[in-house]
Amino acid sequence: MGTVDLQHVSRWYGNVVAVNDVTMTLGPGVTGLLGPNGAGKTTLLHMMSGFLAPSKGTLTVDGAPSWRNPDVYRTLGLVSEREAVHGFLTGKEFVLASARLFRLAQPEEAARRALAMVEMEPAQDRRIDTYSKGMRQRIRVAAALVHDPGVLLLDEPFNGMDPRQRFHMMDLLHKMGDDGRTVLFSSHILEEVEQVSGTVQVMVAGRLAASGDFRTIRRLMTNRPHMFSIRSSDDRRLAVALIGEPSVTGVDLDATGLQVRAADYGTFTRALPRIALKEGIRVRQLVPADESLESVFSYLVGA
């Protein structure tokens, strides 16, 4: 139904490079655009939707450039991260206004279909300022779908949602992908991407750091080197025992406990209980010391 193609796309603001030499092709199904805040995800989505021109490279939607091409919105729907919804409108009025802006031949029928698609008919006559965060997100998706686009772009659609609202949105994106639409959504949380998308594109510092299905990305993340802080009933004896473990690359001991560098997260966390039990040592605390998103994604840049 729709394709988005980027070839060596970059975008810079003066000396600041927001997106750096990104090449990817998106087709039918759901793709997650994963990365920490500031990675360039929103800039990339804004270029896809024609708000920004690439500083370098080519970007097309269904074979046509998105920049300075209003016709791209015949096949593209966008749900931006920032809400721009008039609270005094009812849900139906908001979606109907979108249908009329697209100059659809039967705006009432198009609005009815879009509201049904996001399961918002029961609340369509309520003012939007009475909606929950999840309901507002769904009504915005309905407005983006009213003209039946083949491509749907969503910027951080799960922000601020409770677990039930999150489940509804995930289910909706699944349905869009199963219908043959090309759906791309951005997120900084791996678990969100795992539960929704088949394909993951990882961005770090403006670059495409990794690409593949979520199992591949998860494996890259868990197999990277890790640092652990450990406190036990006998730190000195545990340190000696851990030095002989193949997955351990370094051990430091100070007043706060042990700092252990491990080459592989999974191998080390499986070995530690076995070693502690054999030595008769009780592990009181085990904390990964480098689990920030930035450290995880920065590793992927060189993976």
Side-chain angles (χ1 to χ4, degrees):
M1 271 180 92
T3 57
V4 182
D5 185 64
L6 293 81
Q7 295 296 322
H8 303 290
V9 169
S10 299
R11 171 72 196 195
W12 52 78
Y13 304 91
N15 293 326
V16 178
V17 179
V19 172
N20 186 3
D21 196 29
V22 170
T23 294
M24 70 170 77
T25 300
L26 306 174
V30 184
T31 300
L33 184 63
L34 179 67
N37 293 327
K41 304 188 300 293
T42 296
T43 298
L44 198 65
L45 285 166
H46 282 181
M47 285 193 286
M48 291 178 184
S49 51
F51 291 168
L52 291 171
S55 302
K56 185 181 178 184
T58 60
L59 195 161
T60 60
V61 177
D62 275 351
S66 58
W67 175 243
R68 288 184 174 169
N69 179 18
D71 284 345
V72 76
Y73 277 92
R74 296 184 189 278
T75 58
L76 186 147
L78 172 68
V79 181
S80 60
E81 181 180 12
R82 188 168 297 175
E83 286 191 4
V85 180
H86 298 296
F88 60 83
L89 293 175
T90 66
K92 183 178 179 180
E93 287 169 342
F94 177 65
V95 178
L96 185 57
S98 181
R100 286 174 173 153
L101 283 170
F102 280 109
R103 298 178 181 175
L104 301 180
Q106 297 178 304
E108 295 268 358
E109 176 60 21
R112 186 195 64 75
R113 278 199 310 269
L115 285 161
M117 208 176 295
V118 301
E119 299 177 354
M120 283 294 287
E121 306 106 311
Q124 65 182 3
D125 295 320
R126 281 172 48 190
R127 285 169 55 116
I128 292 174
D129 57 14
T130 70
Y131 285 0
S132 67
K133 171 73 173 180
M135 293 169 74
R136 289 199 304 275
Q137 284 287 69
R138 277 193 282 157
I139 209 69
R140 294 171 68 219
V141 172
L145 289 173
V146 75
H147 59 303
D148 197 29
V151 178
L152 182 64
L153 308 176
L154 306 99
D155 197 0
E156 296 278 359
F158 301 103
N159 268 2
M161 287 188 175
D162 64 32
R164 184 179 57 83
Q165 295 164 348
R166 209 172 278 242
F167 175 80
H168 276 182
M169 180 60 72
M170 287 177 177
D171 187 51
L172 178 60
L173 296 189
H174 271 299
K175 288 176 181 174
M176 300 294 104
D178 291 344
D179 286 345
R181 298 179 202 273
T182 298
V183 180
L184 176 71
F185 75 97
S186 69
S187 176
H188 59 278
I189 299 171
L190 178 61
E191 283 69 25
E192 289 178 351
V193 175
E194 281 187 354
Q195 291 175 48
V196 182
S197 63
T199 306
V200 183
Q201 306 282 352
V202 182
M203 283 195 75
V204 183
R207 291 175 54 198
L208 194 61
S211 182
D213 65 27
F214 73 83
R215 293 178 188 85
T216 302
I217 304 304
R218 171 65 82 180
R219 196 155 49 245
L220 282 170
M221 288 183 168
T222 56
N223 288 354
R224 70 191 178 89
H226 282 67
M227 176 73 80
F228 294 90
S229 294
I230 302 174
R231 299 187 70 177
S232 73
S233 58
D234 191 336
D235 289 343
R236 189 173 296 279
R237 194 146 58 91
L238 182 59
V240 172
L242 288 175
I243 287 172
E245 165 58 34
S247 64
V248 173
T249 58
V251 177
D252 293 315
L253 178 63
D254 58 30
T256 64
L258 280 172
Q259 300 292 321
V260 178
R261 291 183 298 281
D264 182 285
Y265 181 100
T267 303
F268 173 74
T269 52
R270 287 190 297 272
L272 179 62
R274 172 177 50 78
I275 292 170
L277 185 65
K278 180 182 176 184
E279 298 292 328
I281 297 169
R282 179 174 294 176
V283 175
R284 296 198 175 104
Q285 185 181 61
L286 172 67
V287 181
D290 58 352
E291 284 302 281
S292 72
L293 274 172
E294 283 69 20
S295 72
V296 174
F297 288 121
S298 293
Y299 171 73
L300 285 182
V301 174

